[in-house]
Amino acid sequence: ADDHVLCGTERRAGKTPQDPPSLLPGRTTTLRFLITRPAPSVLPSTRLPFERHVYSVTAAVTLVRPEGDSDFHLVLRDGNLHMIAEAASPGCIAGASPARQAQMRTARLAVRVCPRARITGVAFFDFNHGQTGVATNAIELHPILAFHCLN
């Protein structure tokens, strides 16, 4: 086990669901819906009201790679639409409830590249710093709470 996990620092409290605020019940949506939400003009350290929503999308997963902050970075695609999802590192989720921690761990173990997957995660606006696959509004599903390859 790696005793030196590096957790991301930008908007860290928002990147793992801390209770409170509680997350809203999940709903199914599309990449198009998510990437056309207006980006907030200011990104606070805590979650914005929209970032309490849990969404499930069906998309191709074209890239999975470990990041410097120990998360797994996924690129989700639907035709020419794309956005990022992040599977949180188990070493960086201590602030979440035990139930959410279990969801995040299980999802991370299932993550892989596949032509059609159902990804459930929490809406999260990141800073756009040229990440691979970043949406124009820099929205992500972060963290991923469930992952299922459909093929």
Side-chain angles (χ1 to χ4, degrees), residues 80-105:
N80 59 2
L81 307 176
H82 54 83
M83 67 177 283
I84 293 169
E86 298 270 344
S89 167
C92 301
I93 60 175
S97 69
R100 290 289 183 212
Q101 288 185 41
Q103 285 181 305
M104 288 185 269
R105 281 194 192 95

Side-chain angles (χ1 to χ4, degrees), residues 27-37 55-59 78 81 83 139 141:
R27 54 192 244 219
T28 300
T29 192
T30 61
L31 257 62
R32 180 174 304 283
F33 171 81
L34 292 173
I35 69 174
T36 56
R37 296 310 88 202
Y55 290 107
S56 291
V57 297
T58 300
D78 181 3
L81 307 176
M83 67 177 283
I139 199 165
L141 291 178

Side-chain angles (χ1 to χ4, degrees), residues 9-121:
T9 54
E10 289 184 338
R11 303 197 70 210
R12 183 81 237 157
K15 287 182 178 180
T16 54
Q18 315 276 332
D19 296 296
S22 56
L23 298 176
L24 299 168
R27 54 192 244 219
T28 300
T29 192
T30 61
L31 257 62
R32 180 174 304 283
F33 171 81
L34 292 173
I35 69 174
T36 56
R37 296 310 88 202
S41 52
V42 175
L43 289 175
S45 60
T46 54
R47 280 194 181 265
L48 296 159
F50 183 78
E51 295 176 314
R52 292 178 55 218
H53 289 273
V54 174
Y55 290 107
S56 291
V57 297
T58 300
V61 180
T62 59
L63 176 74
V64 176
R65 73 169 181 223
E67 295 278 290
D69 64 3
S70 307
D71 289 350
F72 287 164
H73 176 99
L74 286 68
V75 174
L76 311 183
R77 288 196 171 276
D78 181 3
N80 59 2
L81 307 176
H82 54 83
M83 67 177 283
I84 293 169
E86 298 270 344
S89 167
C92 301
I93 60 175
S97 69
R100 290 289 183 212
Q101 288 185 41
Q103 285 181 305
M104 288 185 269
R105 281 194 192 95
T106 301
R108 184 175 164 104
L109 291 171
V111 162
R112 61 189 169 98
V113 170
C114 61
R116 259 184 96 240
R118 184 159 181 80
I119 305 99
T120 302

